[in-house]
Amino acid sequence: MKVFLAEQLQKANRAVASDNRRLLAAHGVTAINIIGGPGAGKTTLLEKTLERLAGRVKVGVIEGDIYTTRDAERLDRPGVEVIQINTRGACHLDANMVGQVLGELALPDLDLLFIENVGNLVCPAEFDLGEDCKVAVLSVAEGGDKPAKYPLVFHEATAAVLTKSDLLPYTDFRPEQVTEEILGINPELDMFLLSARSGEGIDRWCDWLERQLARKGFAIA
């Protein structure tokens, strides 16, 4: 029987992802894998989220990029552990990359770990990193045709965030139509329309994060 290389790679990745998940669970850390295309607003969303959670939730960030540390530098602030992974050409993070840096984080001191994946709507959706859930990020500036073109990320996600709502007057993006299309792919998704710049919708997003933390017994004071 032939076993294709891609199948072998996925099997190996799933095994490491399971190890990562057990390690995170042992420390009560909730991990969120943030997936979206370049310029979707992932880092800006995390900046605003870190501001809202400061002093209430102990947060770590694994920042995935092909090159540079620019996004990691934007997220680096007191009380937040940030680790950069540069893939140097790979279009996604995999479980082994994440597993190699988990030991650098003070996991016993963390409640929430964000993993910002490499900017890509395709490849990251295929790789389990050991996270509790994937969050798909799509900006209104990218166009409403993306869910139909790249359905896997929405199928695999637990939530979808439509960002840059402040730009809606300048686009032909129709949130209701796009939301309907996304829910047609995955009816169980939690949907958010927000603007990290203006703060619109951020509270509802942070409330959702609190609910994910609560699944592991963490209560925000």
Side-chain angles (χ1 to χ4, degrees), residues 14-214:
R14 286 192 294 270
V16 178
S18 294
D19 291 340
N20 293 347
R21 186 169 286 109
R22 282 192 290 269
L23 177 62
L24 291 164
H27 294 287
V29 179
T30 298
I32 310 290
N33 183 2
I34 305 290
I35 300 174
K42 300 184 298 299
T43 307
T44 304
L45 174 63
L46 287 181
E47 284 181 307
K48 184 64 70 172
T49 302
L50 293 177
E51 290 175 13
R52 294 296 178 96
L53 298 180
R56 302 162 61 215
V57 180
K58 291 172 286 187
V59 183
V61 179
I62 295 175
E63 178 62 46
D65 275 306
I66 296 178
Y67 294 104
T68 83
T69 61
R70 292 177 181 176
D71 287 347
E73 290 165 9
R74 288 172 57 185
L75 299 173
D76 190 20
R77 62 197 65 204
V80 179
E81 283 195 86
V82 182
I83 292 181
Q84 177 75 56
I85 296 177
N86 285 133
T87 65
R88 301 191 180 280
C91 60
H92 60 86
L93 296 178
D94 62 31
N96 188 55
M97 294 177 191
V98 171
Q100 288 179 352
V101 301
L102 284 179
E104 299 179 31
L105 290 165
L107 293 178
D109 298 328
L110 293 184
D111 305 310
L112 179 61
L113 175 64
F114 289 112
I115 304 170
E116 183 179 348
N117 223 306
V118 176
N120 190 331
L121 273 174
V122 184
C123 303
E126 300 181 15
F127 286 81
D128 183 3
L129 306 180
E131 71 274 11
D132 289 280
C133 55
K134 293 178 173 67
V135 173
V137 178
L138 176 69
S139 79
V140 305
E142 293 176 87
D145 61 339
K146 297 302 181 292
K149 289 183 175 181
Y150 309 109
L152 182 61
V153 66
F154 299 98
H155 183 269
E156 296 296 317
T158 302
V161 180
L162 307 179
T163 61
K164 305 186 183 181
S165 61
D166 52 304
L167 297 181
L168 279 171
Y170 311 102
T171 73
D172 59 1
F173 190 96
R174 299 185 178 182
E176 299 84 1
Q177 179 179 325
V178 175
T179 296
E180 182 179 354
E181 188 161 289
I182 290 173
L183 292 178
I185 297 168
N186 183 351
E188 303 300 320
L189 272 180
D190 291 317
M191 295 290 307
F192 302 91
L193 176 66
L194 56 79
S195 167
R197 293 292 185 188
S198 71
E200 177 188 7
I202 289 292
D203 286 342
R204 184 167 169 265
W205 157 248
C206 288
D207 287 345
W208 181 85
L209 290 171
E210 292 184 20
R211 292 197 297 275
Q212 307 317 303
L213 287 165

